[in-house]
Amino acid sequence: MKDEQMPLDDQARAILTGNDRGGYTVPTDGLYPYQWNWDSAFAAWGFSHFDIDRAWTELETLISGQWSDGMIPHILFHRPDPGYFPGPDVWQGRGPIPSSGITQPPVAASFARRIHQADPGQSRLKALWPALRRWHDWFMAWRLDDGNAVCVTHPWEAGRDNAPDWDAALKHVDPTGVGPYQRRDTGHVDPAMRPTAFDYDRYIKLVQVGVQHGWDHAALKRHTPFRVADPTMTFILLRAQRDLLETGTELGLDTSGLPDAIARLEDGARSLFNPTIQSYDSRDVRTGRWAGGISNAAFLCWYGGLTDDRMRDVLERVGLTSRYALPSYDPASSLHEPLRYWRGPVWPIMNYLVGIGLEEQGLTDQAARLRADTRALIEAGGFAEYYHPQTGQPAGGGTFTWTAAVWLGWAGRG
């Protein structure tokens, strides 16, 4: 819902402050009651437009949950909330703060760079930089496939929880022994907008596999039934490494190894181009099979810094044919569901990441389309989690932190 009496800039700021829990921000009240990794980085960027100290604090709180091996978890359970499942008792994370055992797309270094540009004093970023470097090094050590693409070991890691990219790989996950559990998400949102029971059984099984192996990443690399090379992670880590190199050089820090890491990830990104569909695609590492569909993650190639003219036609043919861009999955596919989470709706956060990549690569008309569509969706439907690509219907959670951040930093400008 949106307040017709309050300017959208003021509404966006009110959402960020309303979702503030003292040092960290929840994505939205109720549905997501903890600190989520990439949501938090967006929140920090949103705060930077009106409270720079609070912006840095958000990232510092996120970093405080870093594991000894360098991983930063996808959820930090700062305080108990029985209304959320699976909680810390299920995950049994092994960090300094109760946490999940998986990570999420590493956008934090890129947003730290943007916040630093707004607040060029060096001390806050300089203190964060080594932890961000350790996190990136963890990815390079444990999450690359043989072609140097970044893999996910749980659909939740990619941030695109129930995308069709994972359908085939999830069929190889045996949910036997999961046992009874009570989902909480469908108590907050229409079940037709959420992952199915088939998916959720396998999500929980993968958590149990992680617990079984003590979240030992070497063991999981060998034994997890789910390991998929993912464009989301690959392009976002590639961009984050570039931004980390830029800020590290500016701060006079040791950036040795980062150019080599960037080169490896560039190779990994190119390895995700599926010649059959002429687009970037996910690949099941266990079977070598492509997912075979086009998601909005494919268009993060420009955000990652790749110049790929082949994708311009794909963007026009798949990404820009709906009333509102970008649908999260190809509207022409039989798997497209316009209101079910990552199987079709438009996500402002992805529009932003793709949009700034397009701007940087000189594709200004396409970038302007994404910005205008995102602005129109928010103006008409408020600060929702995501939107129907044809009707603009707001869906998922409401008063969403990262949608407010996208408004303040991009969609509401110009």
Side-chain angles (χ1 to χ4, degrees):
M1 299 294 292
K2 65 192 186 89
D3 184 343
E4 300 287 354
Q5 305 303 315
M6 183 186 293
L8 286 171
D9 279 16
D10 292 343
Q11 290 184 49
R13 288 190 286 266
I15 288 169
L16 283 160
T17 56
N19 289 338
D20 185 354
R21 297 296 180 266
Y24 70 95
T25 310
V26 298
T28 189
D29 189 46
L31 181 60
Y32 303 109
Y34 298 111
Q35 184 178 22
W36 259 257
N37 189 319
W38 71 327
D39 297 72
S40 190
F42 274 92
W45 174 55
F47 276 117
S48 73
H49 294 90
F50 63 97
D51 188 342
I52 201 74
D53 177 71
R54 182 63 187 77
W56 287 120
T57 299
E58 184 77 28
L59 292 180
E60 290 160 355
T61 304
L62 177 63
I63 294 299
S64 72
Q66 186 168 41
W67 289 16
S68 60
D69 62 11
M71 190 191 81
I72 301 177
H74 100 292
I75 305 175
L76 296 179
F77 301 106
H78 291 287
R79 63 180 75 165
D81 190 316
Y84 181 79
F85 176 85
D89 57 325
V90 178
W91 281 101
Q92 299 180 40
R94 53 183 178 83
I97 295 170
S99 72
S100 64
I102 59 175
T103 191
Q104 267 192 327
V107 294
S110 297
F111 282 118
R113 183 184 177 193
R114 287 186 172 267
I115 296 166
H116 176 64
Q117 289 168 342
D119 178 36
Q122 294 189 351
S123 60
R124 303 288 283 270
L125 178 58
K126 199 165 189 175
L128 287 171
W129 197 93
L132 294 170
R133 174 68 191 267
R134 288 181 58 233
W135 187 25
H136 291 193
D137 289 347
W138 174 87
F139 274 106
M140 301 301 293
W142 296 114
R143 289 305 174 86
L144 301 192
D145 72 352
D146 291 342
N148 289 318
V150 184
C151 299
V152 293
T153 58
H154 195 295
W156 288 339
E157 280 197 320
R160 300 184 298 119
D161 300 21
N162 68 327
D165 303 49
W166 327 126
D167 288 0
L170 282 176
K171 289 178 181 177
H172 298 291
V173 178
D174 181 0
T176 301
V178 165
Y181 60 87
Q182 180 63 52
R183 289 177 64 171
R184 304 292 184 177
D185 60 322
T186 51
H188 295 281
V189 175
D190 182 347
M193 299 179 184
R194 300 294 296 175
T196 64
F198 175 93
D199 293 328
Y200 223 87
D201 284 350
R202 285 152 180 82
Y203 299 161
I204 301 306
K205 182 64 176 184
L206 289 171
V207 174
Q208 293 176 350
V209 170
V211 172
Q212 176 188 346
H213 291 284
W215 298 111
D216 180 311
H217 301 295
L220 286 172
K221 187 173 182 179
R222 295 191 301 271
H223 298 299
T224 181
F226 185 93
R227 189 173 175 88
V228 181
D230 171 38
T232 326
M233 282 289 204
T234 303
F235 290 132
I236 285 177
L237 181 59
L238 175 55
R239 172 58 177 258
Q241 294 282 44
R242 297 189 198 280
D243 289 331
L244 196 71
L245 175 59
E246 185 72 22
T247 54
T249 300
E250 180 183 341
L251 296 172
L253 301 173
D254 180 10
T255 61
S256 58
L258 285 177
D260 288 341
I262 290 168
R264 290 180 67 191
L265 290 167
E266 287 176 337
D267 288 341
R270 295 187 187 99
S271 80
L272 291 178
F273 193 83
N274 180 346
T276 301
I277 62 172
Q278 286 293 295
S279 178
Y280 293 100
D281 193 7
S282 298
R283 183 178 57 240
D284 187 339
V285 174
R286 297 295 185 225
T287 65
R289 294 175 182 169
W290 294 105
I294 301 171
S295 73
N296 54 1
F299 306 120
L300 291 170
C301 57
W302 295 290
Y303 177 76
L306 298 188
T307 301
D308 194 333
D309 290 338
R310 297 171 298 183
M311 291 301 296
R312 295 178 66 173
D313 175 66
V314 182
L315 178 64
E316 295 290 341
R317 177 169 49 86
V318 174
L320 303 181
T321 55
S322 300
R323 168 65 185 86
Y324 298 101
L326 291 165
S328 45
Y329 202 71
D330 184 355
S333 170
S334 62
L335 300 176
H336 177 87
E337 297 182 70
L339 282 178
R340 193 183 292 279
Y341 218 36
W342 287 94
R343 302 181 76 88
V346 176
W347 290 75
I349 56 154
M350 293 293 279
N351 279 11
Y352 165 70
L353 296 175
V354 173
I356 63 170
L358 289 167
E359 291 171 2
E360 291 166 351
Q361 297 290 337
L363 300 174
T364 54
D365 289 345
Q366 295 90 333
R369 163 75 191 277
L370 263 63
R371 188 197 294 253
D373 283 4
T374 307
R375 181 167 58 246
L377 287 167
I378 295 171
E379 287 174 339
F383 296 91
E385 188 175 7
Y386 48 85
Y387 306 82
H388 193 297
Q390 294 294 351
T391 67
Q393 176 187 338
T399 58
F400 226 82
T401 292
W402 61 13
T403 306
V406 167
W407 175 268
L408 290 173
W410 183 65
R413 312 276 75 81

